């Protein structure tokens, strides 16, 4: 595994000068002496049962979701359900077996499982803030500990290995990589970039390495709803177009540090949910109601910026050579968007 830090000679250039890992490791030790104790502290902690059960529950839910996409069914020719929907209308989607290319795995997100909310240099996300604004927002829960994956990721990888998982989709916490949400590519520290939290880089590097050693393919999501709170405070988060370039800069850093081992990238998870639940209905962080109901949320603007941020990150991925960074057995890395939406069958298939 090879990691390095980045500098640039020209703020407007996409040609970056990458320094070796040694330079920023020295910087970490000098500015954060407690980092050298992290591994010893992790090994000294005892595994508690409750986080283990929660982590396993999330994994199993992920497996059930993946299975639901391809699960087989019973044939009901000529029959209709109680709503009058013909079973024949869905019969063509039923397959006798999983296709050979089907990948078995499970999925989580950073805020769901990591915990360690104020550890390792991580900055707050909009979910950290929203959950404590009212006990109604998150059922009185917080992400401060969650499944404690941040401290017990080695055990969690072993659990996944024992379950026989071949793939694991997880998300990177933007504010664990960039606590303030942004990176300054004209920085003058040892890494050449101000704003990067290298304790966060180390955490995800170690996780990815452990997954690969366990024979589990990492699927990495860059954004699973947990915008750095600093960006929400600074310019309104996804309502403001400034977030587009900030997301692209964050993506560039992730591509560089993890791209040599990650084949599958997902830019944004369920943009519809981000826009509607976060900026129209107020049921997800940051909890804004739409302008149409007297609030300040702008869901259509948010949706537009999410798509542009995805496009900007893909442009970085392709034009700056990161699609070729993963090169094993002739394979190249892939990137895409994780969508969500509603699907309806017509009551009368003959007259949809």
């Amino acid at each position: 595994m090879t990691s390095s830090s980045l500098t640039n000679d020209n703020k407007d250039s996409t040609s970056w000068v990458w320094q070796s890992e040694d330079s920023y490791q020295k910087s970490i030790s000098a500015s954060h002496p407690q980092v050298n104790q992290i591994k010893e502290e992790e090994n000294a902690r005892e595994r508690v049962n409750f986080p283990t059960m929660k982590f396993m529950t999330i994994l199993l839910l992920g497996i059930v979701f993946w299975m639901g996409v391809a699960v087989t069914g019973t044939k009901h020719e000529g029959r209709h359900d109680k709503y009058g929907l013909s079973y024949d209308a869905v019969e063509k989607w039923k397959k006798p077996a999983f296709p050979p290319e089907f990948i078995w795995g499970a999925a989580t997100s950073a805020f769901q499982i990591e915990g360690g909310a104020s550890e390792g240099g991580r900055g707050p996300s909009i979910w950290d803030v929203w959950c404590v604004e009212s006990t109604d927002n998150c059922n009185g829960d917080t992400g401060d500990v969650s499944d404690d994956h941040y401290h017990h990721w080695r055990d969690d990888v072993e659990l996944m290995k024992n379950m026989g998982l071949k793939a694991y989709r997880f998300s990177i916490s933007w504010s664990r990589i960039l606590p303030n949400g942004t990176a300054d590519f004209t920085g003058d520290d040892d890494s050449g970039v101000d704003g990067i939290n290298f304790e966060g880089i180390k955490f995800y590097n170690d996780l990815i390495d452990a997954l690969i050693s366990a024979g589990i393919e990492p699927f990495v999501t860059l954004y699973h709803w947990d915008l750095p709170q600093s960006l929400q405070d600074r310019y309104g988060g996804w309502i403001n177009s400034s977030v587009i370039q900030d997301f692209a800069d964050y993506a560039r850093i992730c591509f560089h540090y993890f791209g040599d081992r990650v084949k599958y990238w997902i830019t944004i998870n369920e943009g519809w949910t981000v826009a509607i639940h976060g900026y129209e209905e107020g049921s997800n962080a940051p909890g804004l109601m739409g302008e149409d109901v007297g609030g300040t949320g702008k869901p259509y603007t948010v949706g537009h910026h999410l798509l542009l941020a995805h496009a900007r990150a893909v442009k970085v991925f392709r034009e700056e050579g990161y699609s070729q960074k993963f090169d094993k057995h002739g394979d190249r890395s892939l990137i895409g968007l994780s969508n969500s939406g509603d699907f309806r069958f017509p009551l009368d298939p003959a007259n949809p």
Side-chain angles (χ1 to χ4, degrees), residues 113-135:
I113 66 164
E114 280 188 5
S118 59
E119 299 181 56
R122 179 184 179 274
S125 74
I126 55 176
W127 276 88
D128 293 293
V129 173
W130 190 65
C131 283
V132 300
E133 286 181 345
S134 170
T135 56

Side-chain angles (χ1 to χ4, degrees), residues 48-158:
V48 292
N49 291 330
F50 186 58
T52 301
M53 293 174 62
K54 289 174 65 181
F55 182 79
M56 290 292 288
T57 300
I58 292 173
L59 285 179
L60 290 172
L61 287 173
I63 292 173
V64 170
F65 175 78
W66 284 33
M67 288 180 65
V69 176
V71 72
T72 60
T74 305
K75 194 170 184 179
H76 302 279
E77 287 189 10
R79 293 178 54 198
H80 296 74
D81 65 12
K82 63 181 180 179
Y83 301 106
L85 174 62
S86 171
Y87 287 109
D88 296 336
V90 300
E91 190 64 31
K92 64 181 180 180
W93 299 104
K94 298 174 182 176
K95 304 294 183 181
F98 291 97
E101 65 273 14
F102 187 85
I103 300 175
W104 286 92
T108 63
S109 70
F111 189 76
Q112 277 183 315
I113 66 164
E114 280 188 5
S118 59
E119 299 181 56
R122 179 184 179 274
S125 74
I126 55 176
W127 276 88
D128 293 293
V129 173
W130 190 65
C131 283
V132 300
E133 286 181 345
S134 170
T135 56
D136 295 332
N137 290 344
C138 302
N139 299 315
D141 296 326
T142 72
D144 292 350
V145 177
S146 191
D147 295 335
D148 210 15
H149 177 69
Y150 182 71
H151 295 123
H152 302 296
W153 57 269
R154 291 185 179 88
D155 300 307
D156 293 334
V157 171
E158 188 66 21

Side-chain angles (χ1 to χ4, degrees), residues 154-173:
R154 291 185 179 88
D155 300 307
D156 293 334
V157 171
E158 188 66 21
L159 287 171
M160 289 186 278
K161 179 181 178 181
N162 293 338
M163 290 173 66
L165 297 185
K166 299 302 180 185
Y168 174 49
R169 176 188 166 190
F170 65 95
S171 74
I172 292 175
S173 169

Side-chain angles (χ1 to χ4, degrees), residues 130-261:
W130 190 65
C131 283
V132 300
E133 286 181 345
S134 170
T135 56
D136 295 332
N137 290 344
C138 302
N139 299 315
D141 296 326
T142 72
D144 292 350
V145 177
S146 191
D147 295 335
D148 210 15
H149 177 69
Y150 182 71
H151 295 123
H152 302 296
W153 57 269
R154 291 185 179 88
D155 300 307
D156 293 334
V157 171
E158 188 66 21
L159 287 171
M160 289 186 278
K161 179 181 178 181
N162 293 338
M163 290 173 66
L165 297 185
K166 299 302 180 185
Y168 174 49
R169 176 188 166 190
F170 65 95
S171 74
I172 292 175
S173 169
W174 186 340
S175 60
R176 196 176 290 284
I177 300 298
L178 298 172
N180 293 318
T182 59
D184 181 2
F185 288 88
T186 62
D188 56 4
D189 65 8
D190 287 344
S191 72
V193 182
D194 290 338
I196 297 178
N197 173 36
F198 287 104
E199 291 183 62
I201 298 292
K202 180 183 184 304
F203 171 70
Y204 292 112
N205 266 332
D206 290 345
L207 175 60
I208 291 169
D209 288 344
L211 289 169
I212 293 172
S213 295
I216 300 171
E217 186 84 54
F219 283 64
V220 175
T221 302
L222 291 172
Y223 184 74
H224 198 128
W225 308 352
D226 49 351
L227 186 78
Q229 180 64 36
S230 60
L231 301 186
Q232 189 69 33
D233 294 338
R234 192 177 309 160
Y235 50 62
W238 288 104
I239 290 178
N240 193 296
S241 62
S242 297
V243 74
I244 299 168
Q245 186 58 47
D246 286 339
F247 179 75
D249 290 341
Y250 157 64
R252 177 184 290 111
I253 292 168
C254 292
F255 295 151
H256 174 73
Y257 284 108
F258 314 126
D260 58 329
R261 288 151 292 149

